[in-house]
Amino acid sequence: MPHRSSVPASWRLQENRYSLVGTTCECGECHMPGRRVCECGNEKLESLEFCGLGEIVSYTTIHVAPAGFSGPYHIALIRLEEGPVVTGIVTGDDISVGKKVKSVFRRLYTDGQEGLITYGFKFELM
Ligand SMILES: [Zn+2]
């Protein structure tokens, strides 16, 4: 019987947080986040590291930031070059639909005054 992992969720999710890794199927579909089963029914998916380039499909500006974030900032739907659409924070002010972005590794938020700093991907206007 396989041993069940007891590693904390934050640790298990690291692969997704520190690199843009999803899955790809032989039918040509790419998924981000990764999946166990493709739309075509195939369950033998391979992991795929995305190149990090994409285009803004839609966005909104958050003026009142939640605790730990500093506002205002932009949240966008980004179509990655490989096809999937992901949600991410976009840095820079000159944002508009159709602009090209690339993923960059940045501080995402701070938990509390002297709290844990969480790093991950943001997108930068190109
Ligand atoms: Zn498929």
Side-chain angles (χ1 to χ4, degrees):
M1 200 169 165
H3 178 72
R4 273 200 95 111
S5 168
S6 60
V7 178
S10 60
W11 201 82
R12 274 187 278 120
L13 292 170
Q14 267 188 356
E15 189 180 17
N16 282 336
R17 190 175 283 168
Y18 294 109
S19 53
L20 278 178
V21 174
T23 51
T24 181
C25 176
E26 58 191 19
C27 76
E29 280 296 313
C30 300
H31 324 98
M32 180 68 198
R35 294 187 178 187
R36 290 181 191 279
V37 185
C38 180
E39 290 92 339
C40 74
N42 181 12
E43 296 180 17
K44 292 188 180 121
L45 306 181
E46 292 187 9
S47 76
L48 170 72
E49 183 163 0
F50 291 89
C51 72
L53 299 176
E55 184 179 306
I56 294 172
V57 176
S58 177
Y59 72 94
T60 186
T61 302
I62 309 295
H63 292 281
V64 181
F69 288 80
S70 53
Y73 62 91
H74 310 292
I75 299 254
L77 290 176
I78 294 147
R79 184 175 302 281
L80 298 175
E81 273 202 351
E82 294 87 349
V85 175
V86 297
T87 306
I89 292 177
V90 175
T91 60
D93 291 325
D94 196 20
I95 191 168
S96 63
V97 170
K99 281 208 166 167
K100 304 281 187 204
V101 293
K102 65 173 179 193
S103 65
V104 289
F105 193 69
R106 291 283 184 274
R107 187 169 80 178
L108 288 185
Y109 57 89
T110 308
D111 192 9
Q113 289 249 312
E114 63 217 32
L116 206 64
I117 297 171
T118 300
Y119 291 88
F121 279 99
K122 287 185 179 178
F123 290 88
E124 202 172 76
L125 293 166
M126 290 173 69

